[in-house]
Each structure stands twice: as C-alpha cells, then as structure tokens.
Amino acid sequence: MKFGTFDDNRKEYVINTPKTPYPWINYLGNEQFFGLISNTAGGYTFYRDARLRRLTRYRYNNIPLDTGGRYYYLYDNGDFWTPGWMPVKRDLDFYECRHGLGYTSITGERNGISVTQLAFVPMGYNAEVHRLVVKNTGSVEKSVKLFSFAEFCLWNAQDDMTNFQRNLSTGEVEVKDSVIYHKTEYRERRNHYAFYSVNRPLDGFDTDRESFLGMYNGLDAPQVVANGEASNSVASGWSPIGSHALNLTLAPGEEQSLIFVLGYIENEEEDKWEALNVINKKPALAMIEQFATDEQVDAALATLAAHWDGLLSKYQIQSGDDKLNRMVNIWNPYQCMVTFNMSRSASYFESGIGRGMGFRDSNQDLLGFVHQIPERARERILDIAATQFEDGSAYHQYQPLTKKGNNEVGTGFNDDPLWLILGTAAYIKETGDVSILDEQVSFDSNPDNTATLFQHLKVSFEHVTNNLGPHGLPLIGRADWNDCLNLNCFSKEPGESFQTTANIEGRVAESVFIAGLFVFVGPDYARICRMRGQDALATDAEAKIEDMRQTTLTHGFDGDWFLRAYDHYGEKIGSKENEEGQIFIEPQGICVMAGIGVEGGQAEKSMTSVQERLDTKYGIVLQQPPYSKYYLNLGEISTYPPGYKENAGIFCHNNPWIMIAETVLGHGDRAFEIYSKIAPAYLEDISDLHRTEPYVYSQMIAGKDAVRHGEAKNSWLTGTAAWNYVAITQAILGIQPDFDGLKVDPCIPAEWDSFEITRVFRGDTYVIQIKNPNHVSKGVASLTLDGAAVESNIIAPVLDGGVHQVVVELG
Ligand code: BGC
Ligand code: NOJ
C-alpha cells in the first residue's frame, strides 16, 4: 500500500494523506540553521546544535504522536482547522504534502479555503521562512483569521525538559510591531535570541502558552483559536510561545500570501541592548527585510534549487529503472547530505540531545558526500582527527558546537581509528588534494599539541598493530562497528548504559571485524605512505596487512564463514560451536571486501553461507540464530528482543557490505538483488508494512525472528545512506574514484543492456556510456575516452574542465 508518489521531475515525494503509517519527515537547512518537519507540520528548529541551541520545543514520543511544530490555524466563522491536519485533526477536503530538497509544502483545504504552508531555510540565512498562501476557492467573499503558533525552547533542550523549578520562572519575550522576540536568559550570559515575524500588521498576538491554549487544553483546541480572538498575552516565566493573529478578507478566487520568519540572532557583547532590558533588534529587522515580498521568497527558492541541482549533478544515472534512477539521482545523495549535516543528532528517532557527532559515523558518512562538497569533507576530516589521542585512539563522539570530544562516552572503540584512514583516503581519491595530509591537527583538541594529519593516520594504523590479542587479531576494546557487542562490559546493573559504563581492562577479546577492516583500509594507508616518499613505512605496513590477512584465515575462519570475535575468555563468537549467534554479517562483508579468502575459496563460502543463513525477503539479518536471553559476556546485543536492532535485525548499514563483497566475486545479479531488497524506492508499495519514509533508508528493518518482520525503524540518520550509495554508485554501477583517476569497473545483473552515467570528477565531466552486449556481470573489454582507446579501466584525470565522452564495453 502506498501513501504518496514520487514526482521525479520536481524531485519531490508527494504524500496524499496525513495519516501515514508514521510521521514522514524532511529536513530544512544546509549550513547552520536547521529544521525537521513532518508531513503534518510537526517538528522543530535549531541553530547548529540540536541540544544546545534549540529554538522551538518538541516533545518526543508524545501523545498523540508528533504533536508540536509550526502550526497555522485557520479560523473560519466558528470552525477552525490546520492545513497539515494535525494537531486539530479536522477533516480536510484536500490534503497534500510535498517534501522536496530542503523545503516542504503542505496544502490543506476545507470549506472553500485552501492554505498552503511552505517552509524552507534560505541559503546563508539563519531562519526558517514560512510562506502561507490562503486562497478563497469558493464563490462568496470570506473573512477568516489566521493564528500562527510556535513554542519556544529555552535553548538547552536537555535542561528545558528537566529543570522546571528554574525554567518556569525565566521565560521572557518582547513584542514590537509584527515581531515576537524570545529572549530568555538574554539578560544574563546569552547573547542570542529568537524572533518570529510576519510581513503585515498584526490584529493581535499571544506569547504566553496557557493564555493561548487555555489551562487544560491541548494544541488541538487552543482557546484563542476557538474564540477567534487573540489575548495579547505577554509571557512572564512559564512557557513562552509566538502566535500572530491576522484577519483576512478574501474575495472569491482571491489568494493572499503571508511571509513568516522564525530566526536566530547573535549579538556582540557590547551590542546586546538598545535600552535597559530592551534587546538590540537591528539584526533581526535586517533579516526580516530580506523576506518581505514573494519575489524575495521565489528568488531564495530558486537559489536553493540551484544549490541542490549543483550537488546532485556530480553523479547522475540514466537507466531504464525509474526506482534506481530516483535513488541514485535524488534521494540517496540527499539523505547522505542530511546525514552529513546531522550526524546522528536530530531525527524522529534521535532526540537531538543524546548523541553528538560519531567518530566512526562521520568518517563513513563522508563516503556519501565527499564528491558533492569536498571542501566541507576536508573540514570535517580535520575536525574529527582533532579529537584523536596521541596513541591513535579517539573520542567516540564529539559535540558539533564545541568540536570537543565527549567525555561521557569516552574512548576505547578500537575500530574508530581505522575509519579516519578510510575517510581521508576517500577524500584524496575524490579530489587528488594531498595537501590535507600536511595540515597540523590537534590531539585531544589541544592546540598546543598538534601533528600533521598524516601522523594522525600513522597512529591510527599503529593503534591496531599495537593492540593485538592472543590470536594476533585486533583487541576489540569497548566495541567495534557493532556498538552492542560489548565483550568487556559485564554489566549487571539494570539500566546501566552499555555505551558509557566503565569496562574491564580487556586484553583478550578480539575482533575479526577489525581485522577485516584493517586489511580493507590498510592498503590505502600504505599507498599514502608511498605518495609521501615513506617507502619503508609502506613496506612495513604492507607486511602487517599481509600478516593480518593470514591471521584472519587461520584464526578467523570457521570452515564456512568468518568468525565474529573471541570473547573475554578466548571463546569463539559467531561460530558453529555457538548455540546462538553462530554467524554474523559484519565479518563476512568486510573480510570479503578486503579480498580475504578470495583465492582460497573462503570468500565464496562466506557469501554462500550469508545467503543460506542470513537472507530474508526484506534483506539480510545481522546474525543467526538470535540471542534468546541475556549473555553477560556479550552485552547489549543480547538485550534486544530477537529480530530487532543488532540482535538479528536487518541492519541496512551492512547489507551494502555484502553487496560490495558480492561484486568483489563478480556476482552482479546477487549484488543488485540485495540492493533492491532494501532500497526504499523499491519498498514504496509495502509502505504499510515498512512504515518509515519510502524515500530514505532506515537503520533497521525487523528481522525474521521479530513479530513485525519487514517493519523499519530509525529512518534518516544512519551510515546506511553512505554505504548504500557506495555500493550502488561505485561497486555495482562501477564508477570508482581512485588515487590515479576514475576507475570504471561495474558489476551488474547480466541481463542489463546498457546505462549512462554523468560523473563530475576533479573538475571535468565524464559522460560514461556502459554497454553490455554480451550480457556479462563484470569485466571491462574496452574503454574509450573521447574516441581514443584507453589501455586500462582507469581514466587519468583530463583536468581541462571540459565534458568528456567515455564508452565502455563489458565483456
Ligand atoms: C544501539 C546502537 C548504537 C548504540 C550507540 C545502541 O543502543 O543499538 O545501534 O550504535 O546504541 O548509540
Ligand atoms: C549505530 C551507530 O551510530 C554506529 O556507530 C554503529 O556502528 C551501529 N549503530 C551498529 O551498532
């Protein structure tokens, strides 16, 4: 069952009922100011950091679900409603939500009035702009009233929902002309405030929540709206809100537009005030002036669209498969960019207060956006590296606002350092910019203790070889990629966090996954050493990689698949010998991606075992059989009910590892089969089961052991976006940025005839036609560049800024 359709020309998903199986959201903002907005206008806004600079309130896991957002109430002669249906839930004669790239437009119509509510964050602007178009679709003149509504958060979202003894007394606002200013704590140490304006004179306003709602009412029935009369309340403590009241008279067929701006201002310390306790409004008024007219809004929308067209133009496919086209051309790169902006901080499953930026997460996310915005990838790499320690270990997370490592979570996730090599290598392969390696980067964010980024990579690599366990495999530390395989935790305390609680000093538990990752990214490190003339270092690294490959085959292979780990007691995990958790997806993916066991047949066996033991019709589950009880020596993985999350859920993040691994072995049909099982556009028809947005990936789909097999959770912010992007654009479609140029090496379903890709690479545009006359899956028989034959399948960068024709024949 579907709840909307893709509009590929407009790059929108069009939702045609507010009653989607879960709120289907979109993101506004690209730089500093962000908003989350659902198809019923729920959500919130923040400046840079969803925890520390939250502008508007949002109550997670609220009843009803997704209550709270940017609401515009239409009062029509005693009747009142909201165009997004929520929160009033009055029946609409027409409803439509269009989620586009960086904007959302919601239209509702009732009794001859239609309201379209468009929201976006203009480029270079620290505010959401909302354009309301109110139209009289009937045949008689109508007088209606519009009431806006936003509830202010007292900045620190965590404190805002816990410290009521203080916060219910601190709220302050100012109202001047058509602007409501929220200035809580501005009187003391804050130098920022929020404002909410509209581009016409007010007929009233409210800034005190209870005066607007009535003491015991909800957002579905505010007293002010029900009465059609604003109360002109001025908040003093309690809960400040912003509500503008506007009377509109509309002739038949007439439409009027109103522009609201909900923004953020920072003043210099000496410019905070215009009079005693009167805030300096000049910068707010200057911002508001920029969006006084429809022409200004239209121009900003055009700039936003051009921004996105520019980003997406870096990789475009034309194929006969609409679903593939819309994933590759629009939605997957879009999700990658959103994930770049948000990391794991703010979604409808991430509260914006829990997690900062992940060290491993951000490095992997980079894979999905480095070609779109290489300069910002560069900056991100340097930020991440600065939270590393001298021995190569790293803070697992850092805060976006301070860029400092997060002490609560700490360090000790032993895969972390390797992802920095992966991210940096991806950046250099894309851009050819090796100067990044010479950048001076702090350790532990200490500007007095710096080293080159290259040195950071060196300590990353060595952190693995300096921390090997009894079998010569890498020690796992707190955990590796699988944050829930906590082999040194031994937590007995109810509620204790597996992620933050102190671990025992484990020098036994080892990870086959980290071994595979080491062999996978190691060669890039060795290559980088050679690029810097450090041949001895490179040779040494290559020897260590080779050792690790052998060790993995000797101690990390269980006969038919790769083992997962050794626990604290040196016992196997992910082995036939185990009763539960006999086979895990992660080592199969990463080891085969690294080429381990390709020659000896272990890789083929591993993929066969994945297919036989882990595959389902909705994707590949993380492990089998699921853990049915809590294992003290395994930790969080065994806390989830079978079929969910890391305990045998379909983790969409590492399904692409299997896709890529299958392409290493030349299995194009199988790789694409797995791709299309979890790519959201292919799941649109089962949206009632899948429940999350059909235009973005979710982290997890319930596995076969779960009651609701096929149901997804944790949409948007997941490494799934980047890895699926890599799997489809690089491994399957085969366009691979490499140190020496653009490599073309597709691995596709044999029945495909041809497809065309336009790829911008180091300033040139390559139009690549791939023909498959002999219906093979893999193997480049010939390649021409602008008509001339090229010996290998690597196109050396032309670097003339031109458009170049590439013709590839498989065979
Ligand atoms: C989740 C993991 C996540 C970890 C750290 C766990 O509860 O299951 O997916 O990586 O928390 O946030
Ligand atoms: C989500 C976390 O963000 C990521 O770092 C981790 O690798 C996966 N969960 C798997 O546990």
Side-chain angles (χ1 to χ4, degrees), residues 535-565:
D535 286 352
L537 215 52
T539 308
D540 181 56
E542 281 155 0
K544 290 186 167 131
I545 296 163
E546 197 41 44
D547 281 354
M548 190 69 81
R549 181 190 304 275
Q550 288 311 328
T551 308
T552 306
L553 288 170
T554 313
H555 296 293
F557 197 74
D558 199 42
D560 287 306
W561 57 80
F562 291 96
L563 284 172
R564 181 61 179 86

Side-chain angles (χ1 to χ4, degrees), residues 344 355 360-361 481-484 646 651 699:
R344 304 295 173 273
R355 296 205 266 170
R360 93 155 67 87
D361 294 335
W481 174 86
N482 190 331
D483 274 346
C484 296
E646 281 85 347
F651 236 80
Q699 180 204 52

Side-chain angles (χ1 to χ4, degrees), residues 375-688:
E375 4 26 273
R376 294 185 73 192
R378 190 181 205 276
E379 191 185 323
R380 178 65 57 87
I381 290 169
L382 298 174
D383 284 351
I384 300 169
T387 65
Q388 200 174 16
F389 295 94
E390 268 171 285
D391 70 351
S393 63
Y395 276 112
H396 195 48
Q397 290 172 14
Y398 69 97
Q399 288 309 121
L401 197 68
T402 61
K403 295 192 174 172
K404 292 226 169 86
N406 184 331
N407 271 315
E408 283 157 40
V409 184
T411 154
F413 294 78
N414 282 351
D415 63 319
D416 272 340
L418 289 174
W419 298 111
L420 181 65
I421 299 178
L422 181 85
T424 308
Y427 170 78
I428 297 174
K429 287 176 181 175
E430 180 65 36
T431 60
D433 168 25
V434 289
S435 76
I436 190 172
L437 297 167
D438 292 315
E439 292 286 345
Q440 286 291 322
V441 185
S442 300
F443 287 113
D444 192 9
S445 307
N446 175 0
D448 298 328
N449 183 12
T450 69
T452 59
L453 179 64
F454 176 71
Q455 181 68 19
H456 280 259
L457 301 190
K458 181 167 177 287
V459 296
S460 296
F461 185 84
E462 290 168 355
H463 188 264
V464 176
T465 51
N466 288 339
N467 290 284
L468 300 178
H471 298 90
L473 292 163
L475 291 171
I476 199 166
R478 299 181 70 88
D480 60 24
W481 174 86
N482 190 331
D483 274 346
C484 296
L485 194 61
N486 313 119
L487 304 185
N488 293 310
C489 193
F490 293 88
S491 174
K492 283 185 173 160
E493 203 53 48
E496 189 171 73
S497 163
F498 290 94
Q499 305 298 323
T500 57
T501 189
N503 275 15
I504 56 171
E505 174 65 21
R507 303 296 297 181
V508 175
E510 298 166 293
S511 163
V512 176
F513 173 80
I514 300 181
L517 183 61
F518 181 80
V519 179
F520 180 62
V521 306
D524 283 345
Y525 167 68
R527 175 69 195 265
I528 287 171
C529 292
R530 281 199 203 286
M531 282 159 61
R532 295 177 67 83
Q534 304 256 24
D535 286 352
L537 215 52
T539 308
D540 181 56
E542 281 155 0
K544 290 186 167 131
I545 296 163
E546 197 41 44
D547 281 354
M548 190 69 81
R549 181 190 304 275
Q550 288 311 328
T551 308
T552 306
L553 288 170
T554 313
H555 296 293
F557 197 74
D558 199 42
D560 287 306
W561 57 80
F562 291 96
L563 284 172
R564 181 61 179 86
Y566 288 92
D567 71 8
H568 174 69
Y569 307 106
E571 302 289 339
K572 291 176 186 169
I573 296 174
S575 158
K576 284 179 184 152
E577 292 168 20
N578 300 120
E579 224 171 280
E580 301 184 323
Q582 294 177 336
I583 171 171
F584 281 68
I585 190 173
E586 307 99 297
Q588 319 313 324
I590 205 78
C591 291
V592 178
M593 282 161 77
I596 302 175
V598 172
E599 277 165 28
Q602 294 93 335
E604 282 284 352
K605 280 189 178 171
S606 151
M607 289 301 104
T608 305
S609 301
V610 167
Q611 188 160 5
E612 283 172 4
R613 292 173 178 251
L614 299 179
D615 208 12
T616 78
K617 62 179 169 173
Y618 300 123
I620 302 167
V621 298
L622 195 143
Q623 46 98 341
Q624 277 294 293
Y627 295 113
S628 59
K629 55 178 195 275
Y630 179 55
Y631 290 80
L632 187 61
N633 62 327
L634 301 181
E636 186 166 358
I637 190 168
S638 59
T639 66
Y640 285 113
Y644 292 107
K645 293 278 284 179
E646 281 85 347
N647 191 14
I650 297 160
F651 236 80
C652 298
H653 184 133
N654 41 33
N655 274 241
W657 295 346
I658 302 298
M659 298 168 207
I660 299 169
E662 293 284 10
T663 67
V664 168
L665 300 177
H667 304 157
D669 285 287
R670 173 73 178 143
F672 192 75
E673 178 198 334
I674 306 169
Y675 174 77
S676 52
K677 268 187 189 174
I678 64 164
Y682 292 83
L683 309 178
E684 193 189 10
D685 288 333
I686 55 160
S687 289
D688 45 335

